[in-house]
Amino acid sequence: MLDFTHDPAAQSWVASAQLPGCDFTLQNLPLGVFVPEGRDPHPRGGIAIGDQVIDLARLAASGLLAEPAAAACRVAADSTLNAFMAMGKQSWRALRHGVFHLLSSQADGRTQEQMRACMLPLRQADMKMPVDVRNYTDFYTSLHHAVNVGRVMGRENPLTRNFQWLPIAYHGRASSVVLSGTGFRRPNGQSATAERAAPAFGPCRRLDFELEMGFFVGPGTQLGEPLPLAQARDRIFGMCLLNDWSARDHQFWEMDPLGPFLGKNFCTSISPWIVSMEALAPYRVAFDRPAGDPQPLPYLQDAADRESGSLDVHLEVCLQSRRHRAQNLPGDRLTATSFRHQYWTIAQMLAQHTVGGCDLRSGDLVGTGTISGPTQDQAGALVELSRGGTLAVSLPGTGETRTFLEDGDSVSIKGWCEKPGFARIGFGECRGEVLPALDFGVA
Ligand code: CA
């Protein structure tokens, strides 16, 4: 699974890619879609390296890549990455290998000069949605999150009986998936209180973030065709950071007896750069089930998935309030955890999604569900950190506290992988800001 592109000793002639803490190293090569500021307004695919972005439309026209990498580059240069995702593993790998050689410090001076003509600084790239997301599904695969939320909801048994038997999910709303940096209005809706017979209508009072990762489907499947778990891994193109903003008061009122609706459909943010599964390969870890837990049913079991189906991705969430910004402060960290604690793997999620015959399309977005680690300070949402709004979470930078999000709060998710013997790779950032609710003129 590992090859020369994972060699930690490999360096790029792009000097910024070697700086400590750089997310976009030579071993990463994440893909996104951008418009070069002040130039041609047509969106095109790009690959980030250090503080630069490679314009894949220019690279495709440069003649620098040989086949089959050149063909893959022409498709990846499109205004969305859907067609490139549909090409499959061989093409993804061809482009990765071809670009790696061109960016490697082994590349000759003439190649470097030609590559520079295909690149621009990241700060001059106006990032766009990388994928035309036609379907969005959100899973619920953190046992710690499920237990924490179950407790907040006052359930006698916080974990529902199905949780350890299948990866639970609901079909989300693709139209309101937005790119990092997009603000959204605090949603209006119905919420119920124990004291009043009728529900109240108004701005959400329990607005929350959810720390998640997203992954994108590569080659699709046919209607009626289940995807075996052993084949699911090769159908996943790569991953991004995802914030599944949630209106808890609306959600808890409306989702009885069906699933989430307005509590979840007003905004979902994703990071602009998609890190390929190929780049993530060194960070695969064994899928670890606590002793005594039920074993997955046969269609959710696979030797390779058990051996390396989980991923060790460090994740953290920061909140920057208006007061932080006024004082020029970066914000305070709310939580930090790893994706490796999830109870189900991303391949199991795809196998579950298709086992009844539901088809997948290239570029479909799948959310992993909130990522909460085993301890309270590793929880991936405010509803858990504040124990349902009963515990004030402190923001030491400004001395403020939060139980839920306030207007002007900007939430940033960061993710990266590092371990001895391998190069660091990172996802960049997924950020979004809460704007005041629309005024309906009603109490
Ligand atoms: Ca979610």
Side-chain angles (χ1 to χ4, degrees):
M1 265 182 359
L2 301 185
D3 59 32
F4 61 94
T5 65
H6 303 104
D7 177 1
Q11 297 216 332
S12 172
W13 51 264
V14 178
S16 54
Q18 264 74 244
L19 293 174
C22 177
D23 277 352
F24 306 141
T25 51
L26 180 61
Q27 291 80 356
N28 191 350
L29 306 179
L31 281 105
V33 166
F34 73 101
V35 169
E37 236 172 48
R39 284 196 251 162
D40 182 352
H42 186 69
R44 77 281 312 273
I47 290 179
I49 176 80
D51 62 3
Q52 305 284 307
V53 55
I54 303 167
D55 181 330
L56 294 181
R58 285 188 181 203
L59 180 59
S62 72
L64 280 163
L65 289 170
E67 296 301 341
C73 186
R74 282 193 293 276
V75 177
D78 201 0
S79 58
T80 67
L81 294 171
N82 295 67
F84 180 63
M85 290 179 177
M87 291 179 92
K89 203 166 96 164
Q90 302 306 327
S91 299
W92 306 337
R93 182 171 290 169
L95 182 61
R96 174 177 170 85
H97 286 188
V99 170
F100 185 94
H101 285 306
L102 295 171
L103 290 172
S104 158
S105 51
Q106 313 285 323
D108 61 49
R110 168 116 182 91
T111 302
Q112 297 184 20
E113 191 186 318
Q114 287 176 289
M115 273 303 276
R116 270 193 203 99
C118 300
M119 293 160 73
L120 64 153
L122 267 174
R123 64 183 147 72
Q124 290 172 16
D126 180 12
M127 299 309 296
K128 301 291 177 192
M129 277 293 284
V131 179
D132 176 17
V133 178
R134 283 166 286 191
N135 291 288
Y136 163 48
T137 303
D138 195 24
F139 276 85
Y140 190 72
T141 62
S142 164
L143 182 134
H144 308 292
H145 172 69
V147 167
N148 291 341
V149 171
R151 285 204 182 110
V152 167
M153 293 178 86
R155 288 203 199 105
E156 193 179 334
N157 273 324
L159 202 60
T160 53
R161 188 166 158 251
N162 54 5
F163 187 90
Q164 290 170 304
W165 291 101
L166 56 85
I168 301 171
Y170 67 95
H171 286 116
R173 185 73 192 168
S175 66
S176 52
V177 177
V178 305
L179 195 69
S180 170
T182 310
F184 66 93
R185 285 191 181 278
R186 177 183 297 273
N188 284 294
Q190 286 191 23
S191 58
T193 56
E195 305 82 56
R196 293 166 61 166
F201 177 85
C204 168
R205 285 174 301 174
R206 295 191 150 213
L207 186 62
D208 205 350
F209 68 87
E210 281 188 347
L211 165 61
E212 294 196 25
M213 296 188 73
F215 62 92
F216 291 94
V217 172
T221 62
Q222 298 296 314
L223 187 65
E225 175 204 354
L227 184 59
L229 177 54
Q231 293 169 28
R233 184 181 290 193
D234 287 347
R235 299 293 182 110
I236 301 172
F237 170 73
M239 303 188 77
C240 65
L241 305 172
L242 186 150
N243 188 338
D244 177 28
W245 303 96
S246 300
R248 300 294 180 201
D249 39 359
H250 304 167
Q251 181 193 346
F252 289 178
W253 168 235
E254 76 188 357
M255 66 186 280
D256 181 17
L258 290 185
F261 189 40
L262 269 65
K264 297 283 188 175
N265 71 6
F266 55 94
C267 187
T268 304
S269 303
I270 61 168
S271 58
W273 294 103
I274 304 169
V275 175
S276 67
M277 296 318 294
E278 190 105 19
L280 286 163
Y283 296 99
R284 288 190 168 278
V285 287
F287 160 64
D288 185 27
R289 263 294 146 84
D293 279 19
Q295 290 305 304
L297 295 177
Y299 79 99
L300 291 171
Q301 280 214 48
D302 172 67
D305 196 52
R306 182 167 285 272
E307 206 172 284
S308 59
S310 293
L311 288 153
D312 188 17
V313 182
H314 300 284
L315 296 160
E316 66 175 45
V317 179
C318 281
L319 190 155
Q320 189 188 43
S321 68
R322 281 175 175 154
R323 208 179 289 177
H324 282 103
R325 285 198 293 283
Q327 297 175 22
N328 245 338
L329 295 169
D332 287 303
R333 194 171 77 176
L334 293 181
T335 187
T337 186
S338 166
F339 183 58
R340 69 183 300 164
H341 301 301
Q342 293 308 93
Y343 200 77
W344 297 97
T345 69
I346 55 175
Q348 286 172 322
M349 295 180 213
L350 270 202
Q352 176 68 22
H353 204 309
T354 58
V355 74
C358 174
D359 52 330
L360 301 169
R361 308 258 171 102
S362 296
D364 281 358
L365 173 63
V366 181
T368 61
T370 304
I371 301 162
S372 295
T375 60
Q376 171 74 9
D377 60 343
Q378 295 173 18
L382 272 171
V383 71
E384 298 166 70
L385 293 166
S386 74
R387 298 185 198 269
T390 61
L391 190 76
V393 176
S394 67
L395 305 176
T398 56
E400 294 170 277
T401 60
R402 289 290 182 278
T403 48
F404 291 97
L405 296 172
E406 295 187 4
D407 291 350
D409 284 353
S410 172
V411 176
S412 153
I413 301 176
K414 286 185 178 163
W416 69 94
C417 304
E418 56 188 357
K419 70 175 181 185
F422 287 95
R424 176 192 158 105
I425 59 171
F427 287 80
E429 183 188 40
C430 177
R431 180 182 282 275
E433 185 182 329
V434 182
L435 306 174
L438 274 179
D439 185 1
F440 271 70
V442 288

